């Protein structure tokens, strides 16, 4: 039979372990990178270097970044197709307007389960309309997203 002191110690260890595991799992799943950006006229500017991650002294390419701006209601999912080609889609679900979550090469809606591919095409409903897409162009070290 366990006495009260040992019981409280055991519960404390279990809680501490649970919090540690939760923190570890969250750090594994939050590989999302929010890129710095600047609005200049009709364009949102993102540095191409936002796609480079320094991992243990080695440069590793990210496949996508999330772009937020105080002037935008939702982030933009910017996916690198090639060095000169990017896909930019608005992260607002076309079903009922919830903010989407990025999971690698697809986006999902936490509200009703709609899923979209890296180009904003509907993969699974209830959404029936593709995501809003933005034209992009690369000018030297800057990726420009046309907002209008």
């Amino acid at each position: 039979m366990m006495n009260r002191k040992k019981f409280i110690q055991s519960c404390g260890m279990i809680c501490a372990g649970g919090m540690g595991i939760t923190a570890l799992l969250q750090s594994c799943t939050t590989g999302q990178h929010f890129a710095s950006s600047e609005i200049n006229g009709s364009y949102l500017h993102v540095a191409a270097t936002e796609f480079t991650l320094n991992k243990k002294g080695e440069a590793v390419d990210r496949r996508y970044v999330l772009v937020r701006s105080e002037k935008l209601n939702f982030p933009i999912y910017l996916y690198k197709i090639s060095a000169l080609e990017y896909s930019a889609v608005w992260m607002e679900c076309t079903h009922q307007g919830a903010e989407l979550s990025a999971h690698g090469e697809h986006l999902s809606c936490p509200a009703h389960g709609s899923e979209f591919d890296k180009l904003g095409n509907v993969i699974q409903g209830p959404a029936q309309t593709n995501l809003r897409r933005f034209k992009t162009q690369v000018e030297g070290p800057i990726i420009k997203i046309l907002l209008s």
Side-chain angles (χ1 to χ4, degrees), residues 51 62-67 76-82 85-89 104-106 117-120 136 143 145:
F51 282 87
R62 290 185 173 99
R63 296 301 295 159
Y64 73 94
V65 297
L66 304 178
V67 184
I76 293 174
Y77 173 84
L78 185 59
Y79 184 84
K80 183 177 185 177
I81 297 168
S82 70
E85 187 179 4
Y86 293 82
S87 167
V89 297
E105 295 194 356
H106 80 277
D117 68 13
K118 63 189 174 201
L119 304 176
T136 62
I143 302 157
I145 302 169

Side-chain angles (χ1 to χ4, degrees), residues 33-38 46-47 50-51 65-69 78:
H33 176 70
F34 285 92
S36 298
S37 63
E38 177 182 305
V46 178
E50 293 286 353
F51 282 87
V65 297
L66 304 178
V67 184
R68 283 201 183 271
S69 172
L78 185 59

Side-chain angles (χ1 to χ4, degrees), residues 70-103:
E70 292 176 5
K71 296 181 181 180
L72 301 175
N73 293 331
F74 290 92
I76 293 174
Y77 173 84
L78 185 59
Y79 184 84
K80 183 177 185 177
I81 297 168
S82 70
L84 296 175
E85 187 179 4
Y86 293 82
S87 167
V89 297
W90 190 239
M91 291 182 65
E92 179 183 15
C93 185
T94 54
H95 175 236
Q96 288 189 348
E99 184 171 319
L100 300 172
S101 299
H103 306 282

